[in-house]
Amino acid sequence: MTTMLLTLMTATWAYDYPYLMVETADGEVKILSVESLVLTFGDGKLTAVNAEGTQALVLTDLSKMYFSSTPSGIDTADTTSEERQAVDIYSVNGVKMGTFESVTQAQQELGNGIYIVKSKNKNYKITIK
């Protein structure tokens, strides 16, 4: 009975954390969406498969893993002051989606999802619905 209760509590807590953060020994942070996430270990690698694709990470390169409610270190920002600046857009997995003339252009060309914006002055996340 106690085990069942703890399992239910853990499932409830995990629901509040939509990201798995994986930090490598050199300080790089990989952000993985936990939606449909499946982790497997084998041949000295951690393989993560989710709705966004597959990533294989060498276990000896990893320093820590943790769940987060937001992509670590990235603020949600009001983009109105930077709408006319050129920006680089990345997926939450760190894949560069392209360079755009403005955030507005990126929002028109990209599909629904959460993206990381790198502008001249700062980095922040946007959600396109």
Side-chain angles (χ1 to χ4, degrees), residues 24-72:
T24 61
D26 64 2
E28 182 182 356
V29 176
K30 305 266 187 200
I31 304 167
L32 304 171
S33 170
V34 298
E35 184 174 345
S36 304
L37 180 64
V38 176
L39 300 175
T40 56
F41 297 89
D43 297 325
K45 294 181 183 177
L46 162 65
T47 303
V49 180
N50 64 8
E52 296 164 347
T54 301
Q55 288 195 33
L57 305 165
V58 178
L59 289 174
T60 57
D61 292 343
L62 304 181
S63 64
K64 64 177 151 177
M65 292 179 12
Y66 55 95
F67 290 96
S68 177
S69 58
T70 60
S72 180

Side-chain angles (χ1 to χ4, degrees), residues 47-118:
T47 303
V49 180
N50 64 8
E52 296 164 347
T54 301
Q55 288 195 33
L57 305 165
V58 178
L59 289 174
T60 57
D61 292 343
L62 304 181
S63 64
K64 64 177 151 177
M65 292 179 12
Y66 55 95
F67 290 96
S68 177
S69 58
T70 60
S72 180
I74 301 169
D75 298 326
T76 301
D78 178 13
T79 61
T80 55
S81 64
E82 297 190 14
E83 286 182 353
R84 291 181 226 107
Q85 288 186 12
V87 294
D88 292 326
I89 305 292
Y90 296 84
S91 71
V92 293
N93 287 333
V95 176
K96 186 172 183 178
M97 304 304 289
T99 300
F100 298 87
E101 292 178 8
S102 66
V103 173
T104 303
Q105 179 194 13
Q107 290 172 322
Q108 293 169 349
E109 294 184 23
L110 294 171
N112 293 347
I114 299 172
Y115 297 95
I116 309 303
V117 177
K118 293 186 83 172

Side-chain angles (χ1 to χ4, degrees), residues 2-14:
T2 303
T3 303
M4 188 168 77
L5 181 59
L6 289 174
T7 301
L8 289 173
M9 289 173 55
T10 302
T12 302
W13 291 330

